[in-house]
């Protein structure tokens, strides 16, 4: 009796594993469609830079850029800003494939932010866990002010506290996107446009 239960548990675990593996698809660029053009993105970067310049008038902004994803956005935002800026970089990782997993932040411990006007810049706000955690950690360093800025704001129920960054360049639907810094398992970050996973592939 006991032995047959063990056999059944074994058979069940093998079949469930098979189902899970079948569900984990690997996507190629053919599974994505053009979503935001390079010129549209650049236009929105200019607009958000103008708003930031107006709000920070005369102040030096310390940009905390969240790598890897925010690299192109930070570069173009910095170029578009008239305000004096200093860029420091931290690393955050939470995505595996197209799934949001546990968050790890590194590189912030050695950064001095006391009495600075800090603007945290990220590629996208999804669950908002990254921005909320970073704001909390930056606050501990006694800056004069902390604000957040993202290229893309995802309209998703996963953002359970309805956190809104102070600045957002473009609001998007709840879709997995790549390009302009955003990756799929390390690839496609260097596209100058943003592409979205086809609904039929998701
Ligand atoms: P959050 O903490 O807001 O859930 O997500 C933050 C990070 O998850 C982003 O900085 C980004 O790196 C990653 N992420 C969220 N949504 C997407 C997406 O649609 N595509 C890609 N490539 N990364 C995403
Ligand atoms: Mg990121």
């Amino acid at each position: 009796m006991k032995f047959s239960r063990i056999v059944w548990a074994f058979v069940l675990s093998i079949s469930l594993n098979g189902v899970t593996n079948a569900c984990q698809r690997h996507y190629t660029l053919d599974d994505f469609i053009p979503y935001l053009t390079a010129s549209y993105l650049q236009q929105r970067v200019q607009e958000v830079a103008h708003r930031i310049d107006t709000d920070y008038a005369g102040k030096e902004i310390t940009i905390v850029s969240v790598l890897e994803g925010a690299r192109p956005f930070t570069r173009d935002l910095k170029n578009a800003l008239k305000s004096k800026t200093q860029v420091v970089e931290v690393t955050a990782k939470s995505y595996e494939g197209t799934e949001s997993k546990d968050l790890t932040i590194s590189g912030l411990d050695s950064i001095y932010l006391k009495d600075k006007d800090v603007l945290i810049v990220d590629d996208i706000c999804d669950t908002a866990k990254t921005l909320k955690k970073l704001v909390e950690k930056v606050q501990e360093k006694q800056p004069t002010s902390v604000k957040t800025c993202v290229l893309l704001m995802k309209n998703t129920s996963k953002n359970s506290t309805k956190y809104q960054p102070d600045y957002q360049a473009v609001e998007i639907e709840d879709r997995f996107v790549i390009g302009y810094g955003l990756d799929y398992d390390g690839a496609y970050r260097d596209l100058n446009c943003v592409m979205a996973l086809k609904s039929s592939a998701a």
Side-chain angles (χ1 to χ4, degrees):
M1 182 67 175
K2 236 181 174 178
F3 179 73
S4 72
R5 266 198 211 159
I6 292 169
V7 171
W8 271 115
F10 181 70
V11 170
L12 191 67
S13 85
I14 298 258
S15 359
L16 283 177
N17 205 7
V19 171
T20 316
N21 286 341
C23 292
Q24 281 170 356
R25 272 201 55 186
H26 181 81
Y27 299 110
T28 68
L29 204 53
D30 287 341
D31 293 309
F32 292 85
I33 49 164
Y35 194 58
L36 306 169
T37 64
S39 62
Y40 179 71
L41 289 170
Q42 291 308 319
Q43 177 199 326
R44 300 312 291 249
V45 172
Q46 295 295 326
E47 282 168 18
V48 86
H50 180 70
R51 269 187 277 145
I52 294 170
D53 273 334
T54 309
D55 293 352
Y56 282 81
K59 292 180 185 164
E60 175 170 348
I61 307 169
T62 301
I63 293 177
V64 173
S65 176
V66 188
L67 301 184
E68 293 291 322
R71 208 189 282 279
F73 178 43
T74 306
R75 177 200 60 214
D76 293 343
L77 183 68
K78 182 180 164 60
N79 288 341
L81 285 167
K82 294 191 175 71
S83 308
K84 195 169 170 207
T85 55
Q86 181 206 357
V87 178
V88 294
E89 295 171 338
V90 297
T91 305
K93 195 170 169 6
S94 59
Y95 255 64
E96 237 171 66
T98 59
E99 301 286 322
S100 182
K101 301 268 161 126
D102 290 342
L103 169 68
T104 50
I105 292 173
S106 45
L108 194 62
D109 292 349
S110 56
I111 296 173
Y112 185 81
L113 296 172
K114 192 167 186 309
D115 302 330
K116 308 270 186 195
D117 287 298
V118 175
L119 182 65
I120 300 169
V121 173
D122 204 356
D123 47 6
I124 189 165
C125 178
D126 181 26
T127 63
K129 279 186 207 152
T130 308
L131 287 180
K132 287 197 293 186
K133 186 83 200 164
L134 269 169
V135 168
E136 204 182 292
K137 283 180 163 258
V138 167
Q139 292 281 20
E140 288 167 11
K141 294 181 171 272
Q142 300 173 287
T144 305
S145 68
V146 189
K147 285 188 176 186
T148 54
C149 172
V150 290
L151 174 79
L152 306 177
M153 178 68 201
K154 209 186 268 191
N155 192 348
T156 171
S157 56
K158 283 185 282 169
N159 182 351
S160 52
T161 59
K162 306 238 178 307
Y163 177 84
Q164 291 288 321
D166 297 281
Y167 304 97
Q168 54 195 55
V170 188
E171 197 176 322
I172 64 163
E173 304 157 279
D174 192 0
R175 301 176 74 153
F176 183 77
V177 288
I178 54 165
Y180 198 62
L182 292 144
D183 72 312
Y184 168 58
D185 276 347
Y188 313 123
R189 286 193 198 278
D190 49 5
L191 294 170
N192 59 6
C193 62
V194 167
M195 300 182 79
L197 188 63
K198 286 178 189 166
S199 324
S200 55

